[in-house]
Amino acid sequence: MKRYLAALFLVLACSNERPLPPTTSVDESTPQEGGTVVRRLQSDVSTLNPILSTSGYDRFVAFFLFTPMVHFDVNLQVIPGLAEKWDIAPDGKLYTFHLNPSATFSDGSPVRASDVLFTLKKIVDPQNEAPQIAGSFEQLDLRNTKVIDDHTIAVAFKQELAAQLAHFNDLLVLPEHVYSKGDFKTDFAARAVGSGPYRLVRREPGKEILLERRPEYWGKRPYLQQVLFKVIIDDGTAWNAMKRGDIDESMIAADTWLMESRRPELTKTIDFRRFYTLTYNYVPWNTRDPMLSDKRVRHALAMCIDLKSIIDNLYHGTARAMNGPFTPDQWAYNPDVPVIEYNPQQAQRILNSLGWLDTNHDGILDKGGKPFKIEMLISGGANPSNPFSQLFQSELRKIGVQLVITPLDPSAFIQRALAGNYQCAYLSWDLDPDPDPFPLFHSSQIPPHGQNFVFYSNPEADRLMEEGRRELDQSKRTTIYHQLHALLADDQPYTWTVQVSSKWAINKRVHNVKESRGWGLFKWYPGELDWWIPSNQRTHDAAARRR
Amino acid sequence: MASYVARRLLYALLTFFGITVVVFALVHSVPGDPISFYIGTHGVSQLSSAALDAIRREHHLDEPLISQYLWWLRGVLTLDFGSSIINHQHVTTRILEKLPNTFILNSIAFLLAAAIGVPIGLWSAARSGRLMERTSAVLFFLLYSLPSFWVALLLMEFFSVKLRMLPLFGMTSDDYLQMSAAEQLLDRLRHLVLPVVTLSYAQLAIFARFSKSALTEVIRQDYITAARAKGVAPQAILWRHAFRNALIPLITLLGLTIPFLISGSVIVEQIFQWDGIGRLYFDSILTRDYPMVLGLTVATAVVTLLASLLADLLYAAADPRIRLEEQR
C-alpha cells in the first residue's frame, strides 16, 4: 500500500510545471504584436451584460468587449470613444453625438444610432434592476431623445449636469438585434456581442474568461492577441501565483508590499507599482447626534487623529493626508485648505470650553451627568480600519473621551447608517472621475433619498453643490468647488483621514504598462490596449490556445 | 420495518418545515437587506431609486415577512427557488454549477480520511494504553488543532512555489482541453492533492479517535472476554465479534459527515480557488442575497435529513435489536 501511495505521489508530482520565463533584453521602442496576458480577477464577474454589472471587475472585462460613447484618457479627461465628436447645446440639456461610421460589432454588423437609443432605454428601464448605471442617466429625457440618422443621435436631459458627458463613459453600446431577443437579465451573463477591440472566446464561471483580439477591429488595433482573466479571490494565493509567473498582474496587500517589494530575486521579474487612485478614508459623524451636532466638537475630535504617525506607522509612508472631499489629484482640490493639526491639548481645551468637564473625576469628560462616550462602527475582520480605530481610541482616552469600537459587516452597517442609528464610523469611498459631491452632502440626499447618512445640511453648501453640478464653465466650476472644499473642511461632516495608495505587482514581461491620474492601470484609454509582450517571453500562449 | 421507515420519513418532513421557518426568520432578522448591497459596495454615485424600487417589488421585499415567506414557500414546493437578487441567475442553476466541484473534493477527502483513519483507530484500540497508542493520540490531537488556512499556505509555499511540483490553485490546468483523457485525469488529480490533504488531515484524526473509542468500549464487554476464553483467535475476535458492534457510533459519525460533502469549506475553496458551494454561500450571506442563502440552506438541510434517515436505517441494519424494539 505504502509503495503504491509513494508511486502515485511521484506520478502526481513529477509532471511538468512551467519554467520561469527567460529575461533577455528587448527593444522597448517597438511594440510587438501577439501574445497572451494573464490578468487576475479578485472576484468573478457577476455578468457580462454591461448594463447589469454590479462590480468594478465586471467593468475590467467589459472594457475589452464594448466601447463606451466616450473614453477617459490618462488624465481622466473625456476623449472620443464610439462617438467621434459631439455638440452640447448651450443650455447643457441636449447632446448630439456623431458615431464613428466605421464602428462594427463583433458579429460584423455596423453600430447604429438606434443601438445607442436601445441601450439607453435598457439602462433607464427600472425592470432591469440596474440602479447604478441608471443613476448616471437619472435626468434622461427619453421622449426628446431622437435618432437623427444612422450615425447621429441627439440625447436629451431634463436638467443640465456638468458631469453628464463623463457619465457617457458608462454607456457601453449594445447591438439591438442581439440583446432585444431573449431574457435581457439572464441570457447575456456568459455571452457578449460588443463593438470593443476584443471578442469573447469563453467564460467559465468562477474560473476564467478568455478574450481574443478581433482581426477586423475598426479602431486602433491593440497589441496583445489574447487576454485571459483568472479568478483568484485569495490575496495570498494571487501573490504566490504572481511569484510563480502564473499571472501577470495583481493588486497586492500592504504587508506583501512592505515585506516583498525590495527583495532582489523578486524585483528581477516583478515590477512593483504604487499610485494614488480616486479614493479616501474618512470618519463620518452623525451630525444629528446631540453630542456631535456641534462642529467645534467634531473639530476637537479630529485634532486627536495623529495622521503623521498613522501614515508612517500604519501605512509605512504609502498614504497621504486628506482634508476634504477631493483628492490632491483632482482639479476641484483646493490647495489652501489646511490639514487639521494633531493637537490633543487644544482639543481638550475646546471640549472644556463647551462644558465637557471631568466633574466626577473618573477620567471621562461629562456634561449634565452624561459621560462623553461615543461608538465607532468599523467593518469586521482584519483590515486597516481596525488599527486606526484602536489608535484613535487611545488618543481620545488621553483627553477623556471614551470610544467604543463595534465591528459590523457592511450590510448591517449600511442599515444602521441609513437609519441614523450610529455616531461615527471608519469608512472609505471610491470616487467618480467627476468630483461632484452632491450625492454625499446635499440635504436632498439625506436618507432614505440618498447617501448623505451624516445628515449634513447647510444651505450655503447646498447652493454651492447645486451650482457646481450645473456649471458648464470649467473655471467657474473650479472656483465653486474650491469654496465648497473649504466650507466642508470647516463644517467637518466627515473627518477625512488618508488617501491610501494602491499597490500592484506586474510581471516585467508585460511592457508599456502605464497608470492614469486616478484610475490606475485599467479602464482608461488606451491603457491596457497599449500593453505588449516580447515574442521571446510568451510563456502563456500555449495555455490559452484557442480550443 | 416499513412503519419504522414511514415514521422516520414523517419526522424528516416535519423537521424540514421547521427548518424553513427558522432559516427564513434567521436570514431576515440579520441586519441589512439586499438593497444595501447596491448602496454599500459602490462609490459615490447617485442610484436610481426607481430601479431600487423595482428590485424590492420583484423580490417582495416591500411586503410583510409572513407574505414573503409564503411567496418563497410556494416557490420551494414547486421546486423553484427563485433567482439571485444580485445577478438574476436562477438559484438552482448556480447551485448545480458549483455542487459537483464541492462534492468531488469533499468526498475524496472524506474517503481518504476514513480509509486511513478507521484502520488506525482499530489498530490503536488493539493496543490501547500502550506507549505507541498514547503517542499517536497526542499526535492526532495536534493534527486536529492545526488551522487549515495555515497548513494550506505552508503546503502551497513548499510544493507549488518552492519545489514547483504541484499546481497552485484551480481545478484544471490552462491547457486541460488539449490533453488526452489520461492526461486530463492526471491533471485533475494533481490539482486535487493539496486541497484534499488540507481538508482530510483533521477528519482523519476524528475518524481515528472515534473508531478507537468505539471499539475500546466494545472490547471491554463480557462476550468478548467469553470469546477470548473460548480460544478464538484475536484477529477473529476483533473483526467478527467486536467490529460489527462498534459500527453504531461510526454510523452516527457518517450521518453527521455527509452534509459536509455538499456544504463546502469557505477557507479551502478560497485559498485554492476551488469554485464550490462554500464560497457561494459566504458571498450570498455578505450580500444578503436572500433567495440564494435560503436555497443553499434548504439544500444542505435536505441532505442532512437524508443522511440522518440513512443513518437510522443503517442502525437497524447493523443492530437487530433496533428492529425488534420497533415491532413491539
Side-chain angles (χ1 to χ4, degrees):
Chain A
M1 181 68 182
K2 247 187 220 158
R3 223 182 332 156
Y4 290 121
L5 275 179
L8 178 70
F9 185 75
L10 272 179
V11 170
L12 292 175
C14 293
S15 322
N16 53 322
E17 280 286 301
R18 240 190 334 261
L20 282 167
T23 36
T24 43
S25 62
V26 271
D27 179 8
E28 294 288 335
S29 56
T30 41
Q32 298 173 17
E33 295 220 358
T36 302
V37 72
V38 184
R39 300 259 311 254
R40 173 198 175 195
L41 285 177
Q42 258 179 289
S43 149
D44 196 9
V45 302
S46 54
T47 171
L48 290 178
N49 184 337
I51 307 302
L52 304 180
S53 77
T54 51
S55 83
Y57 307 107
D58 297 11
R59 281 300 294 272
F60 281 4
V61 179
F63 175 84
F64 291 92
L65 296 172
F66 301 90
T67 317
M69 291 293 276
V70 299
H71 276 301
F72 285 117
D73 70 1
V74 69
N75 292 313
L76 299 194
Q77 297 298 310
V78 173
I79 54 168
L82 198 58
E84 324 181 276
K85 54 185 196 299
W86 52 85
D87 317 297
I88 305 172
D91 68 355
K93 292 183 191 168
L94 191 71
Y95 290 70
T96 309
F97 288 99
H98 304 275
L99 303 183
N100 189 323
S102 54
T104 55
F105 291 109
S106 59
D107 65 354
S109 58
V111 180
R112 294 200 177 87
S114 55
D115 294 314
V116 179
L117 182 63
F118 167 78
T119 311
L120 277 170
K121 281 180 181 163
K122 284 288 178 199
I123 287 174
V124 297
D125 180 0
Q127 290 316 310
N128 286 323
E129 299 175 12
Q132 287 132 30
I133 195 166
S136 295
F137 293 92
E138 191 87 325
Q139 299 300 328
L140 183 72
D141 179 0
L142 209 48
R143 271 198 312 158
N144 292 316
T145 294
K146 296 214 160 65
V147 170
I148 294 172
D149 63 40
D150 255 9
H151 300 291
T152 316
I153 182 167
V155 184
F157 292 89
K158 292 171 218 147
Q159 228 177 51
E160 71 276 24
L161 202 59
Q164 195 62 59
L165 183 62
H167 286 327
F168 277 96
N169 182 253
D170 290 334
L171 179 54
L172 304 178
V173 177
L174 306 174
E176 181 172 9
H177 64 276
V178 179
Y179 285 80
S180 59
K181 294 183 196 105
D183 184 342
F184 187 74
K185 277 191 335 204
T186 54
D187 283 359
F188 304 98
R191 65 196 190 95
V193 178
S195 60
Y198 287 75
R199 57 175 206 85
L200 180 70
V201 178
R202 64 160 192 278
R203 172 185 180 201
E204 288 181 48
K207 190 182 172 209
E208 63 189 32
I209 296 168
L210 179 61
L211 312 178
E212 182 183 60
R213 189 166 63 156
R214 282 171 62 190
E216 80 304 347
Y217 179 57
W218 50 275
K220 178 179 173 286
R221 265 163 68 92
Y223 298 111
L224 295 166
Q225 178 62 25
Q226 288 181 324
V227 181
L228 178 61
F229 286 94
K230 279 183 169 285
V231 182
I232 307 178
I233 295 169
D234 191 79
D235 282 337
T237 307
W239 174 236
N240 277 332
M242 215 37 234
K243 285 198 280 191
R244 275 168 52 104
D246 287 352
I247 54 174
D248 288 319
E249 56 87 1
S250 173
M251 187 156 85
I252 52 175
D255 53 345
T256 307
W257 170 275
L258 186 70
M259 289 186 293
E260 310 263 61
S261 66
R262 285 195 190 86
R263 283 173 54 189
E265 71 270 29
L266 293 174
T267 51
K268 243 193 312 190
T269 52
I270 297 174
D271 184 11
F272 289 89
R273 298 273 189 99
R274 181 171 84 77
F275 44 80
Y276 288 101
T277 53
L278 295 172
T279 167
Y280 61 68
N281 295 5
Y282 65 101
V283 177
W285 303 109
N286 182 349
T287 62
R288 282 193 182 163
D289 187 274
M291 250 185 266
L292 300 167
S293 56
D294 188 333
K295 74 176 178 188
R296 288 171 295 180
V297 173
R298 302 196 292 267
H299 267 278
L301 297 175
M303 283 175 191
C304 298
I305 300 175
D306 188 354
L307 283 186
K308 196 186 164 320
S309 151
I310 285 169
I311 290 169
D312 289 346
N313 300 319
L314 212 56
Y315 295 105
H316 305 282
T318 66
R320 59 188 179 189
M322 285 285 295
N323 57 11
F326 309 118
T327 73
D329 286 331
Q330 288 181 300
W331 52 261
Y333 182 85
N334 181 346
D336 299 330
V337 176
V339 173
I340 294 177
E341 292 281 331
Y342 169 65
N343 191 344
Q345 292 82 19
Q346 179 65 16
Q348 194 162 25
R349 277 194 292 275
I350 294 174
L351 292 181
N352 290 346
S353 74
L354 293 170
W356 288 102
L357 298 161
D358 186 9
T359 54
N360 56 4
H361 304 289
D362 65 346
I364 293 170
L365 302 177
D366 52 80
K367 183 162 131 182
K370 250 192 101 184
F372 203 127
K373 181 177 160 188
I374 49 176
E375 184 192 27
M376 177 179 251
L377 306 183
I378 63 167
S379 52
N383 59 53
S385 71
N386 223 316
F388 170 85
S389 56
Q390 284 162 14
L391 284 173
F392 193 31
Q393 187 183 44
S394 71
E395 289 292 338
L396 287 177
R397 194 180 296 134
K398 287 183 201 158
I399 66 156
V401 172
Q402 195 184 352
L403 187 76
V404 181
I405 301 168
T406 307
L408 277 182
D409 85 328
S411 291
F413 166 74
I414 287 152
Q415 197 188 40
R416 283 188 62 178
L418 295 183
N421 176 22
Y422 78 108
Q423 290 176 299
C424 67
Y426 195 54
L427 298 170
S428 70
W429 276 127
D430 286 327
L431 308 173
D432 270 357
D434 188 276
D436 182 7
F438 185 93
L440 300 184
F441 299 109
H442 194 271
S443 59
S444 69
Q445 300 300 306
I446 284 175
H449 308 290
Q451 300 181 91
N452 181 357
F453 53 76
V454 287
F455 304 92
Y456 175 65
S457 170
N458 177 338
E460 173 65 5
D462 277 358
R463 187 185 63 79
L464 288 171
M465 280 182 274
E466 285 158 29
E467 280 177 15
R469 70 186 334 219
R470 298 238 180 109
E471 182 55 65
L472 302 177
D473 181 314
Q474 179 66 25
S475 71
K476 283 186 195 156
R477 206 176 169 218
T478 307
T479 316
I480 293 170
Y481 281 154
H482 281 189
Q483 286 175 35
L484 182 67
H485 186 168
L487 182 59
L488 286 171
D490 184 53
D491 278 347
Q492 289 286 304
Y494 289 0
T495 287
W496 288 270
T497 58
V498 289
Q499 185 188 21
V500 185
S501 60
S502 183
K503 299 161 189 83
W504 292 79
I506 301 146
N507 193 306
K508 282 191 170 162
R509 68 193 198 96
V510 185
H511 291 242
N512 207 18
V513 179
K514 291 181 185 141
E515 59 226 36
S516 72
R517 208 175 141 105
W519 264 5
L521 306 174
F522 309 127
K523 297 190 295 182
W524 54 278
Y525 189 87
E528 303 132 278
L529 303 181
D530 266 356
W531 293 7
W532 59 275
I533 298 173
S535 55
N536 60 353
Q537 293 172 24
R538 292 190 184 152
T539 40
H540 294 287
D541 285 21
R545 219 181 295 142
R546 220 179 129 191
R547 298 158 197 183
Chain B
M1 187 71 181
S3 82
Y4 172 77
V5 173
R7 257 213 341 243
R8 283 282 179 276
L9 269 174
L10 185 69
Y11 287 153
L13 205 64
L14 286 174
T15 319
F16 175 76
F17 272 98
I19 289 171
T20 63
V21 174
V22 171
V23 165
F24 194 88
L26 262 180
V27 167
H28 281 81
S29 63
V30 176
D33 66 18
I35 300 297
S36 58
F37 166 78
Y38 288 101
I39 299 171
T41 51
H42 302 284
V44 179
S45 49
Q46 260 178 299
L47 296 170
S48 158
S49 41
L52 289 179
D53 286 342
I55 297 175
R56 285 195 190 96
R57 260 198 313 282
E58 186 186 331
H59 296 279
H60 309 285
L61 296 174
D62 49 355
E63 293 174 29
L65 216 52
I66 295 286
S67 85
Q68 287 190 46
Y69 175 71
L70 292 177
W71 275 113
W72 177 71
L73 194 64
R74 200 176 80 165
V76 171
L77 294 179
T78 55
L79 289 181
D80 173 12
F81 290 90
S83 52
S84 159
I85 299 179
I86 308 303
N87 68 9
H88 313 295
Q89 287 176 51
H90 284 289
V91 169
T92 332
T93 320
R94 292 278 283 170
I95 294 180
L96 290 180
E97 190 179 286
K98 315 249 176 201
L99 192 61
N101 301 340
T102 292
F103 185 74
I104 289 174
L105 175 63
N106 288 19
S107 42
I108 291 180
F110 169 76
L111 290 177
L112 191 74
I116 301 177
V118 174
I120 290 181
L122 300 184
W123 170 83
S124 25
R127 281 165 186 72
S128 188
R130 294 193 201 167
L131 182 66
M132 270 290 273
E133 191 270 330
R134 293 259 167 111
T135 323
S136 78
V138 172
L139 284 178
F140 278 122
F141 275 116
L142 274 179
L143 200 60
Y144 179 64
S145 48
L146 293 178
S148 62
F149 70 91
W150 180 71
V151 171
L153 285 177
L154 281 188
L155 289 171
M156 266 183 166
E157 185 69 38
F158 189 70
F159 290 105
S160 307
V161 180
K162 280 236 162 61
L163 299 180
R164 302 179 75 81
M165 272 171 28
L166 288 167
L168 185 66
F169 66 94
M171 295 181 290
T172 51
S173 296
D174 289 346
D175 46 0
Y176 180 72
L177 291 182
Q178 286 120 49
M179 293 177 176
S180 66
E183 285 171 334
Q184 287 192 344
L185 180 69
L186 185 69
D187 187 56
R188 282 193 161 266
L189 285 175
R190 279 163 43 79
H191 281 83
L192 273 165
V193 175
L194 295 184
V196 162
V197 170
T198 312
L199 271 179
S200 55
Y201 73 85
Q203 278 187 48
L204 185 147
I206 298 177
F207 275 113
R209 294 318 293 169
F210 223 87
S211 47
K212 189 252 162 188
S213 67
L215 199 63
T216 315
E217 192 72 22
V218 174
I219 282 179
R220 289 206 202 99
Q221 303 288 325
D222 290 343
Y223 69 88
I224 299 289
T225 319
R228 207 172 279 150
K230 255 193 330 189
V232 181
Q235 291 292 324
I237 293 180
L238 203 60
W239 286 107
R240 210 171 305 148
H241 300 271
F243 186 61
R244 183 158 177 184
N245 286 300
L247 272 178
I248 297 273
L250 280 181
I251 290 171
T252 312
L253 183 63
L254 180 80
L256 291 173
T257 313
I258 283 179
F260 288 108
L261 296 186
I262 72 139
S263 69
S265 147
V266 179
I267 292 171
V268 170
E269 285 178 10
Q270 167 159 333
I271 292 183
F272 292 103
Q273 192 54 46
W274 197 273
D275 188 38
I277 295 283
R279 187 69 209 186
L280 180 66
Y281 219 150
F282 185 70
D283 288 341
S284 309
I285 291 170
L286 280 188
T287 53
R288 305 288 191 272
D289 194 346
Y290 293 156
M292 206 69 224
V293 176
L294 291 169
L296 283 163
T297 312
V298 166
T300 318
V302 168
V303 173
T304 310
L305 288 174
L306 288 179
S308 68
L309 196 65
L310 179 75
D312 282 347
L313 298 181
L314 285 178
Y315 288 150
D319 188 345
R321 279 171 302 179
I322 293 177
R323 266 169 288 172
L324 288 174
E325 277 163 29
E326 292 294 323
Q327 278 163 7
R328 236 179 266 154

